[in-house]
Every structure is written in structure tokens, then in C-alpha cells.
Amino acid sequence: MEKIYAHPQSLYNVSSHYCAGCGHGIAHRLVAEAVDELGIREKVIAIAPVGCAVLAYDYWNFDCTEAAHGRALAVATAIKRVRPDNVVFTYQGDGDLAAIGTNETIHTANRGENLTVIFINNAVYGMTGGQMAPTSLIGQKTATTLKGRDPALQGYPLKISELLAQLPGVKYVERVALISPAEINKARQAVLLALRNQIEGVGFSLVEMLSPCPTYWGMSAQAAMGWIKETMIKEFPLGRIK
Amino acid sequence: MINVHIDGQRCKGCYLCIAVCPRKSLGVAAVLNKKGVKPVEFKKGAECIGCRFCATMCPDCCIEIEKE
């Protein structure tokens, strides 16, 4: 018997705490598969965020650490400078990377640190109960925007990837969506390229993943995939930004 | 011959795999698992073409596929 699809070695064979249909599970697997494919399991160091993925180190079978809320890229900078031979990446949600950590994100990108960032954009604060995130869409109902996000009160969805792409220190930015086998395969290629860039010394690479949060979007897993396809992609177009 | 192994105890019942299977070979089991959800199962007598769509989609990495 030949396994044509096997559990990645870099992912523990355990049940995660994520809700049914949560995109974090898919993203974790893509990262684990990329680490396996590049053969860097003994060299990689991940920095987990604060947010739903705070326990990522319980699922990845490689070295991980945890940073204070939003500070993952500051910690990553230190680790990479002290241990330049290791492959260092951060895994951050929109609340971590684009809200409380915007400062660290922009300055790390502007310094052109040779790091990889996996950015999960699900347009909501998952861990704390579905509050509005900077990336929430106009009109999106959340726990803190009961009538929908109103630009006059809460501003506009923050396109942090486009913003970072303008910085000369940033070498690679791509937005993908975890909505179908075809799109997930594109996401896998993007993660591989972002990690390869670091190994080859290219510089700061970021992959933004549009990821479903069925629980706080108040819909089924299947409907959440449809919502990304029909609504979210219009605000956050897919493809290579830089 | 292709065998699809589904870890029914880890399945959370999002059923994303059922939606993407091109041969409609996956269905919902009749019995609850330890999590209290009806897990996905491979339908008896159904065929698998080994496209791996289900395993690619599964957020909980419950599916492994073997080819003889």
C-alpha cells in the first residue's frame, strides 16, 4: 500500500481546539506540509500569536515559541538575528498582526528582516468572542458592530498586505484563500515560496490567507467558504501583490 | 484499489469534504463520535478516484488515502 495522502510529520496526530470548519486547521497543515517538503523540521522556529492560534505549538511538531499580543515579529527579529541559520516564521491572525501588532509588523517589514509571515485573515476576533477586527468588512455584523461595520464610526477594512507591499524591504506578498482544493493548493505553493525566500536570503515574505470563521460569522462551514468567495474576495482580491 | 481512512473520532462534522468529493463517495455516519457529532464516513461500495480533494479540504487532518 502506498500512501497518496499521509498525515504530515510536522503535525502532531491530535485533535485541535479549533471549531468545526475553522481555517486554522487547514493553514496549520499547509505550513506543516511545507516544512516537511523543504526538510527543515529541525531548523524551523515558529512564533505563535495571541488569538485562536495561541496554542499552535501543541499541534506543530517543531520548535515554537509564543510572543506577547502583536509582538511576534519583534520576537522573530531577535531569534533570526541571533540564530541566522534557523528558518523563523510567525503565524498571526488579523487582530495580532493588523491591530495591536501593526507597529511591530510595519517596522519589521520596513527593516526588511529576512522572515516569513503567515497571516490569517478571518475578518473577526475569534478567540475573544467575535468582535470587529480591523479587517472586518463594511456592513459586517460582529459582536461590537451589531448593525454592521459603519465606515463613519469604525473606518474601513485595513488592507495590511497592500500597505506592506509598498515598503522596499518587503520582497514577497501574496493573498490566497482557503476555500477550495484548487485555492488551497495555491496557498501551499505560496507558503513554500515564502519559506524558500527566507532560506535563499531574499527577504521579508508574507502570505495572507483568507480563512473561514463559521462560528463568529454565524453560518455553516460550507456557507463560510461561500461568503469568502462571494463577499470577502471583493474587498481582499487574491493573487500576488508583490 | 484506493482506500480512504477517516479518523471518525477526530472529525468535528464540518462536512467540507463531502461537498468537494467529485464522486459523492462521502456521507454522514449514523452514530455519534466522542465529540458528540456525526462524523464523516466513506459510503459502502462507493468508489474513490484518489483526487485527494477531501484530505486537502479537511481542517482537522482526519483523512489519509492509500493506493494498492
Side-chain angles (χ1 to χ4, degrees):
Chain A
M1 294 290 270
E2 175 209 352
K3 280 197 174 169
I4 58 172
Y5 189 86
H7 197 94
Q9 198 193 0
S10 294
L11 198 66
Y12 287 123
N13 210 346
V14 294
S15 186
S16 72
H17 71 286
Y18 299 118
C19 307
C22 174
H24 273 301
I26 302 173
H28 280 23
R29 176 162 48 80
L30 291 180
V31 171
E33 284 173 356
V35 168
D36 282 355
E37 189 170 332
L38 296 170
I40 52 172
R41 201 171 68 83
E42 296 295 331
K43 277 176 76 177
V44 78
I45 300 173
I47 293 103
V50 170
C52 283
V54 69
L55 300 174
Y57 41 76
D58 282 346
Y59 309 131
W60 281 324
N61 186 9
F62 45 71
D63 287 338
C64 299
T65 185
E66 172 63 51
H69 199 356
R71 275 64 188 168
L73 276 166
V75 174
T77 300
I79 295 175
K80 184 70 183 177
R81 287 189 177 197
V82 174
R83 302 181 68 102
D85 293 336
N86 285 81
V87 180
V88 182
F89 77 90
T90 68
Y91 181 102
Q92 300 173 265
D94 41 21
D96 194 76
L97 182 138
I100 193 165
T102 320
N103 184 5
E104 280 74 9
T105 305
I106 291 177
H107 284 289
T108 308
N110 195 40
R111 288 194 305 269
E113 300 287 345
N114 187 23
L115 293 167
T116 305
V117 183
I118 308 297
F119 168 36
I120 306 296
N121 178 358
N122 59 10
V124 81
Y125 277 82
M127 186 181 74
T128 49
Q131 292 86 356
M132 189 199 88
T135 47
S136 296
L137 304 190
I138 293 165
Q140 186 182 340
K141 287 181 181 171
T142 69
T144 45
T145 55
L146 299 178
K147 292 177 181 169
R149 182 174 186 170
D150 176 2
L153 282 175
Q154 290 105 7
Y156 295 88
L158 182 61
K159 294 178 184 172
I160 193 93
S161 292
E162 277 85 348
L163 202 143
L164 293 176
Q166 297 173 24
L167 301 172
V170 176
K171 302 300 177 195
Y172 170 62
V173 183
E174 181 155 0
R175 186 182 286 122
V176 295
L178 307 175
I179 54 171
S180 65
E183 295 297 334
I184 291 171
N185 282 330
K186 283 185 200 165
R188 178 181 292 127
Q189 296 306 319
V191 174
L192 272 170
L193 181 56
L195 288 170
R196 266 202 202 105
N197 278 349
Q198 185 180 155
I199 295 165
E200 291 165 7
V202 174
F204 193 91
S205 303
L206 181 142
V207 180
E208 173 177 348
M209 297 181 177
L210 304 185
S211 171
C213 180
T215 301
Y216 288 116
W217 295 354
M219 50 183 89
S220 71
Q222 194 57 36
M225 296 299 187
W227 191 76
I228 295 180
K229 197 175 169 188
E230 304 298 330
T231 312
M232 206 172 165
I233 287 178
K234 285 184 189 144
E235 189 66 42
F236 296 103
L238 302 184
R240 190 157 175 173
I241 299 164
K242 189 174 189 179
Chain B
M1 178 72 186
I2 295 168
N3 292 325
V4 180
H5 298 283
I6 300 170
D7 188 341
Q9 288 304 329
R10 228 176 42 221
C11 176
K12 293 172 185 162
C14 70
Y15 308 134
L16 289 171
C17 53
I18 294 179
V20 295
C21 179
R23 294 296 162 109
K24 307 286 171 221
S25 300
L26 299 169
V28 181
V31 187
L32 298 174
N33 67 9
K34 281 182 194 166
K35 291 183 192 293
V37 299
K38 289 181 176 174
V40 167
E41 65 175 8
F42 193 76
K43 287 182 195 166
K44 270 184 191 154
E47 65 165 346
C48 174
I49 56 170
C51 68
R52 294 173 278 197
F53 279 12
C54 54
T56 303
M57 211 62 207
C58 178
D60 291 284
C61 216
C62 303
I63 303 173
E64 284 199 313
I65 306 167
E66 281 181 333
K67 192 179 186 179
E68 257 177 42

PDB file of all heavy atoms in Angstrom, chain A residues 4-22:
ATOM      1  N   ILE A   4      -1.075   7.905  -0.706  1.00  0.00           N
ATOM      2  CA  ILE A   4      -1.085   9.028  -1.633  1.00  0.00           C
ATOM      3  C   ILE A   4      -1.488  10.312  -0.914  1.00  0.00           C
ATOM      4  O   ILE A   4      -1.330  11.391  -1.434  1.00  0.00           O
ATOM      5  CB  ILE A   4      -1.971   8.779  -2.882  1.00  0.00           C
ATOM      6  CG1 ILE A   4      -3.419   8.479  -2.490  1.00  0.00           C
ATOM      7  CG2 ILE A   4      -1.402   7.672  -3.725  1.00  0.00           C
ATOM      8  CD1 ILE A   4      -4.331   8.424  -3.707  1.00  0.00           C
ATOM      9  N   TYR A   5      -1.998  10.166   0.292  1.00  0.00           N
ATOM     10  CA  TYR A   5      -2.124  11.352   1.153  1.00  0.00           C
ATOM     11  C   TYR A   5      -1.885  10.929   2.595  1.00  0.00           C
ATOM     12  O   TYR A   5      -2.665  10.160   3.159  1.00  0.00           O
ATOM     13  CB  TYR A   5      -3.495  12.050   1.022  1.00  0.00           C
ATOM     14  CG  TYR A   5      -3.418  13.355   1.759  1.00  0.00           C
ATOM     15  CD1 TYR A   5      -2.927  14.493   1.117  1.00  0.00           C
ATOM     16  CD2 TYR A   5      -3.699  13.433   3.118  1.00  0.00           C
ATOM     17  CE1 TYR A   5      -2.753  15.663   1.808  1.00  0.00           C
ATOM     18  CE2 TYR A   5      -3.518  14.603   3.808  1.00  0.00           C
ATOM     19  CZ  TYR A   5      -3.052  15.715   3.148  1.00  0.00           C
ATOM     20  OH  TYR A   5      -2.851  16.873   3.835  1.00  0.00           O
ATOM     21  N   ALA A   6      -0.814  11.391   3.185  1.00  0.00           N
ATOM     22  CA  ALA A   6      -0.456  10.989   4.538  1.00  0.00           C
ATOM     23  C   ALA A   6      -0.425  12.203   5.459  1.00  0.00           C
ATOM     24  O   ALA A   6      -0.206  13.335   5.011  1.00  0.00           O
ATOM     25  CB  ALA A   6       0.907  10.309   4.536  1.00  0.00           C
ATOM     26  N   HIS A   7      -0.641  11.960   6.737  1.00  0.00           N
ATOM     27  CA  HIS A   7      -0.555  12.997   7.761  1.00  0.00           C
ATOM     28  C   HIS A   7       0.868  13.571   7.760  1.00  0.00           C
ATOM     29  O   HIS A   7       1.825  12.819   7.817  1.00  0.00           O
ATOM     30  CB  HIS A   7      -0.855  12.332   9.108  1.00  0.00           C
ATOM     31  CG  HIS A   7      -1.207  13.294  10.175  1.00  0.00           C
ATOM     32  ND1 HIS A   7      -2.503  13.619  10.467  1.00  0.00           N
ATOM     33  CD2 HIS A   7      -0.440  14.024  11.004  1.00  0.00           C
ATOM     34  CE1 HIS A   7      -2.515  14.511  11.440  1.00  0.00           C
ATOM     35  NE2 HIS A   7      -1.283  14.768  11.787  1.00  0.00           N
ATOM     36  N   PRO A   8       1.038  14.905   7.702  1.00  0.00           N
ATOM     37  CA  PRO A   8       2.407  15.446   7.693  1.00  0.00           C
ATOM     38  C   PRO A   8       3.152  15.121   8.999  1.00  0.00           C
ATOM     39  O   PRO A   8       2.551  15.132  10.080  1.00  0.00           O
ATOM     40  CB  PRO A   8       2.212  16.958   7.549  1.00  0.00           C
ATOM     41  CG  PRO A   8       0.763  17.206   7.421  1.00  0.00           C
ATOM     42  CD  PRO A   8       0.017  15.942   7.658  1.00  0.00           C
ATOM     43  N   GLN A   9       4.450  14.867   8.860  1.00  0.00           N
ATOM     44  CA  GLN A   9       5.267  14.538  10.032  1.00  0.00           C
ATOM     45  C   GLN A   9       5.346  15.724  10.992  1.00  0.00           C
ATOM     46  O   GLN A   9       5.454  15.553  12.196  1.00  0.00           O
ATOM     47  CB  GLN A   9       6.670  14.158   9.550  1.00  0.00           C
ATOM     48  CG  GLN A   9       7.480  13.400  10.564  1.00  0.00           C
ATOM     49  CD  GLN A   9       8.949  13.314  10.166  1.00  0.00           C
ATOM     50  OE1 GLN A   9       9.360  13.821   9.117  1.00  0.00           O
ATOM     51  NE2 GLN A   9       9.747  12.680  11.002  1.00  0.00           N
ATOM     52  N   SER A  10       5.273  16.934  10.442  1.00  0.00           N
ATOM     53  CA  SER A  10       5.412  18.132  11.270  1.00  0.00           C
ATOM     54  C   SER A  10       4.132  18.530  12.000  1.00  0.00           C
ATOM     55  O   SER A  10       4.083  19.579  12.634  1.00  0.00           O
ATOM     56  CB  SER A  10       5.867  19.308  10.407  1.00  0.00           C
ATOM     57  OG  SER A  10       7.163  19.073   9.932  1.00  0.00           O
ATOM     58  N   LEU A  11       3.105  17.702  11.896  1.00  0.00           N
ATOM     59  CA  LEU A  11       1.839  17.997  12.579  1.00  0.00           C
ATOM     60  C   LEU A  11       1.532  16.834  13.518  1.00  0.00           C
ATOM     61  O   LEU A  11       1.481  15.689  13.075  1.00  0.00           O
ATOM     62  CB  LEU A  11       0.724  18.142  11.533  1.00  0.00           C
ATOM     63  CG  LEU A  11      -0.560  18.846  11.935  1.00  0.00           C
ATOM     64  CD1 LEU A  11      -0.312  20.318  12.240  1.00  0.00           C
ATOM     65  CD2 LEU A  11      -1.592  18.736  10.816  1.00  0.00           C
ATOM     66  N   TYR A  12       1.373  17.120  14.825  1.00  0.00           N
ATOM     67  CA  TYR A  12       1.037  16.051  15.759  1.00  0.00           C
ATOM     68  C   TYR A  12      -0.319  15.459  15.404  1.00  0.00           C
ATOM     69  O   TYR A  12      -1.228  16.181  14.959  1.00  0.00           O
ATOM     70  CB  TYR A  12       0.988  16.581  17.193  1.00  0.00           C
ATOM     71  CG  TYR A  12       2.339  16.902  17.789  1.00  0.00           C
ATOM     72  CD1 TYR A  12       2.608  18.171  18.280  1.00  0.00           C
ATOM     73  CD2 TYR A  12       3.330  15.937  17.872  1.00  0.00           C
ATOM     74  CE1 TYR A  12       3.837  18.483  18.835  1.00  0.00           C
ATOM     75  CE2 TYR A  12       4.565  16.235  18.427  1.00  0.00           C
ATOM     76  CZ  TYR A  12       4.816  17.499  18.904  1.00  0.00           C
ATOM     77  OH  TYR A  12       6.030  17.813  19.441  1.00  0.00           O
ATOM     78  N   ASN A  13      -0.443  14.162  15.648  1.00  0.00           N
ATOM     79  CA  ASN A  13      -1.692  13.467  15.322  1.00  0.00           C
ATOM     80  C   ASN A  13      -2.675  13.611  16.486  1.00  0.00           C
ATOM     81  O   ASN A  13      -2.990  12.656  17.182  1.00  0.00           O
ATOM     82  CB  ASN A  13      -1.369  11.987  15.046  1.00  0.00           C
ATOM     83  CG  ASN A  13      -2.335  11.393  14.065  1.00  0.00           C
ATOM     84  OD1 ASN A  13      -3.374  11.977  13.778  1.00  0.00           O
ATOM     85  ND2 ASN A  13      -2.009  10.225  13.556  1.00  0.00           N
ATOM     86  N   VAL A  14      -3.101  14.841  16.733  1.00  0.00           N
ATOM     87  CA  VAL A  14      -4.006  15.121  17.863  1.00  0.00           C
ATOM     88  C   VAL A  14      -5.189  15.942  17.370  1.00  0.00           C
ATOM     89  O   VAL A  14      -5.155  16.540  16.308  1.00  0.00           O
ATOM     90  CB  VAL A  14      -3.285  15.904  18.989  1.00  0.00           C
ATOM     91  CG1 VAL A  14      -2.195  15.067  19.625  1.00  0.00           C
ATOM     92  CG2 VAL A  14      -2.722  17.230  18.468  1.00  0.00           C
ATOM     93  N   SER A  15      -6.206  15.997  18.197  1.00  0.00           N
ATOM     94  CA  SER A  15      -7.369  16.811  17.879  1.00  0.00           C
ATOM     95  C   SER A  15      -7.098  18.250  18.317  1.00  0.00           C
ATOM     96  O   SER A  15      -6.582  18.485  19.399  1.00  0.00           O
ATOM     97  CB  SER A  15      -8.590  16.262  18.617  1.00  0.00           C
ATOM     98  OG  SER A  15      -9.740  16.951  18.214  1.00  0.00           O
ATOM     99  N   SER A  16      -7.422  19.211  17.469  1.00  0.00           N
ATOM    100  CA  SER A  16      -7.170  20.610  17.819  1.00  0.00           C
ATOM    101  C   SER A  16      -8.371  21.203  18.554  1.00  0.00           C
ATOM    102  O   SER A  16      -9.446  20.620  18.572  1.00  0.00           O
ATOM    103  CB  SER A  16      -6.897  21.422  16.551  1.00  0.00           C
ATOM    104  OG  SER A  16      -8.099  21.584  15.830  1.00  0.00           O
ATOM    105  N   HIS A  17      -8.156  22.400  19.138  1.00  0.00           N
ATOM    106  CA  HIS A  17      -9.264  23.049  19.859  1.00  0.00           C
ATOM    107  C   HIS A  17     -10.111  23.908  18.923  1.00  0.00           C
ATOM    108  O   HIS A  17     -11.042  24.551  19.350  1.00  0.00           O
ATOM    109  CB  HIS A  17      -8.699  23.914  20.995  1.00  0.00           C
ATOM    110  CG  HIS A  17      -7.996  25.141  20.509  1.00  0.00           C
ATOM    111  ND1 HIS A  17      -6.749  25.092  19.914  1.00  0.00           N
ATOM    112  CD2 HIS A  17      -8.365  26.447  20.471  1.00  0.00           C
ATOM    113  CE1 HIS A  17      -6.389  26.312  19.558  1.00  0.00           C
ATOM    114  NE2 HIS A  17      -7.343  27.151  19.877  1.00  0.00           N
ATOM    115  N   TYR A  18      -9.757  23.956  17.639  1.00  0.00           N
ATOM    116  CA  TYR A  18     -10.482  24.829  16.712  1.00  0.00           C
ATOM    117  C   TYR A  18     -11.901  24.327  16.459  1.00  0.00           C
ATOM    118  O   TYR A  18     -12.177  23.133  16.527  1.00  0.00           O
ATOM    119  CB  TYR A  18      -9.716  24.928  15.384  1.00  0.00           C
ATOM    120  CG  TYR A  18      -8.336  25.509  15.536  1.00  0.00           C
ATOM    121  CD1 TYR A  18      -7.210  24.783  15.215  1.00  0.00           C
ATOM    122  CD2 TYR A  18      -8.173  26.793  16.041  1.00  0.00           C
ATOM    123  CE1 TYR A  18      -5.936  25.317  15.381  1.00  0.00           C
ATOM    124  CE2 TYR A  18      -6.906  27.336  16.204  1.00  0.00           C
ATOM    125  CZ  TYR A  18      -5.796  26.594  15.879  1.00  0.00           C
ATOM    126  OH  TYR A  18      -4.554  27.117  16.048  1.00  0.00           O
ATOM    127  N   CYS A  19     -12.781  25.282  16.146  1.00  0.00           N
ATOM    128  CA  CYS A  19     -14.178  24.937  15.858  1.00  0.00           C
ATOM    129  C   CYS A  19     -14.257  24.130  14.555  1.00  0.00           C
ATOM    130  O   CYS A  19     -13.341  24.168  13.734  1.00  0.00           O
ATOM    131  CB  CYS A  19     -15.023  26.198  15.698  1.00  0.00           C
ATOM    132  SG  CYS A  19     -14.924  27.371  17.063  1.00  0.00           S
ATOM    133  N   ALA A  20     -15.363  23.474  14.351  1.00  0.00           N
ATOM    134  CA  ALA A  20     -15.586  22.728  13.104  1.00  0.00           C
ATOM    135  C   ALA A  20     -15.561  23.697  11.926  1.00  0.00           C
ATOM    136  O   ALA A  20     -16.206  24.733  11.961  1.00  0.00           O
ATOM    137  CB  ALA A  20     -16.916  21.998  13.159  1.00  0.00           C
ATOM    138  N   GLY A  21     -14.779  23.347  10.911  1.00  0.00           N
ATOM    139  CA  GLY A  21     -14.724  24.169   9.703  1.00  0.00           C
ATOM    140  C   GLY A  21     -13.813  25.371   9.792  1.00  0.00           C
ATOM    141  O   GLY A  21     -13.762  26.181   8.865  1.00  0.00           O
ATOM    142  N   CYS A  22     -13.046  25.508  10.880  1.00  0.00           N
ATOM    143  CA  CYS A  22     -12.131  26.650  11.045  1.00  0.00           C
ATOM    144  C   CYS A  22     -10.945  26.521  10.085  1.00  0.00           C
ATOM    145  O   CYS A  22     -10.369  25.439   9.938  1.00  0.00           O
ATOM    146  CB  CYS A  22     -11.623  26.696  12.481  1.00  0.00           C
ATOM    147  SG  CYS A  22     -10.349  27.952  12.738  1.00  0.00           S
TER     148      CYS A  22
END
